[in-house]
Amino acid sequence: MSAMPEESLREIAATNEPPHTLASPEFFFLLQRIDRLDEKLTREIRDGDQKSEELITAVEQKLTQRIDVVEQKLTRHIEEVEQKLTQRIDAVDQKLTRRMDAMEEKLGLRIDKQDDKLNSLKFWAIGAVITISVGFIGTIATLLYK
C-alpha cells in the first residue's frame, strides 16, 4: 500500500530521484486518510439519518395508534354520557309535562267553579233587579189605580 500518488511514483521510477512536488508524500498520505475518514463519516451520517427516520416513523405510528385508541374511547364515553343525559332530560320532560297537565286540569276545574259562581251571582243580580222593578211597577200601578 503506497501513500504516494501514482504520478509521484512514476516520476521517481523514471528519474531515480525524489519527486519535485509542492507537497510531501506524507501530506498525500494524510490527505488520502482524511478522504477515507470523510467517506466513512458521511456513510455513518447517512446510516444515522436513515435509522433516525425509521425510528421517527415508528414512534409516529405508535403515537397515531394510541391517539386513535384514546379518541375512540373518548367518543364512546361522550356517546354514553349523551345517552344518559338524554334519558334523564326525557324523564324530567315527561314529569314536567304530567305536572303541567295536572295543574292545567286543576286550574280548569277552578275556573269552571268560579265561572259557575259568577253565573249564579249574575242570575241572582238579574233576579233582584227584576224583583225590584216589578215591585216598583206594582207600587206605581197601585198608587195610580187608587
Side-chain angles (χ1 to χ4, degrees):
M1 179 178 205
S2 173
M4 297 175 67
E6 287 181 35
E7 193 176 301
S8 297
L9 292 175
R10 274 189 243 131
E11 186 179 325
I12 291 172
T15 61
N16 275 342
E17 47 180 79
H20 299 288
T21 60
L22 293 175
S24 68
E26 292 84 12
F27 175 76
F28 283 112
F29 172 75
L30 290 174
L31 191 59
Q32 287 174 348
R33 181 78 175 145
I34 289 172
D35 191 38
R36 276 188 249 124
L37 288 173
D38 180 50
E39 289 175 5
K40 185 177 179 182
L41 184 60
T42 302
R43 192 176 331 108
E44 286 181 13
I45 288 173
R46 281 191 203 124
D47 291 345
D49 281 349
Q50 186 176 1
K51 287 179 184 177
S52 295
E53 287 287 330
E54 291 169 359
L55 286 173
I56 288 172
T57 302
V59 167
E60 183 180 7
Q61 288 174 348
K62 284 181 182 179
L63 288 176
T64 300
Q65 289 171 349
R66 289 183 70 189
I67 289 171
D68 290 344
V69 168
V70 169
E71 184 179 17
Q72 288 173 354
K73 284 181 182 178
L74 185 60
T75 301
R76 265 187 269 128
H77 185 68
I78 288 172
E79 288 172 354
E80 289 172 3
V81 168
E82 184 180 10
Q83 186 178 11
K84 286 178 184 177
L85 290 176
T86 300
Q87 289 172 351
R88 288 182 68 188
I89 289 171
D90 290 343
V92 169
D93 183 44
Q94 290 173 356
K95 189 175 181 179
L96 284 174
T97 301
R98 282 194 305 268
R99 283 189 174 181
M100 287 172 52
D101 289 344
M103 289 295 286
E104 190 175 304
E105 217 174 286
K106 285 180 183 178
L107 287 175
L109 291 173
R110 282 187 168 178
I111 289 172
D112 289 344
K113 285 181 183 177
Q114 293 299 326
D115 191 41
D116 289 344
K117 287 179 181 178
L118 187 60
N119 284 336
S120 295
L121 186 62
K122 187 169 46 172
F123 287 132
W124 181 83
I126 290 172
V129 168
I130 290 173
T131 304
I132 292 173
S133 299
V134 169
F136 278 132
I137 292 173
T139 305
I140 293 173
T142 304
L143 288 175
L144 287 177
Y145 184 65
K146 284 194 179 182

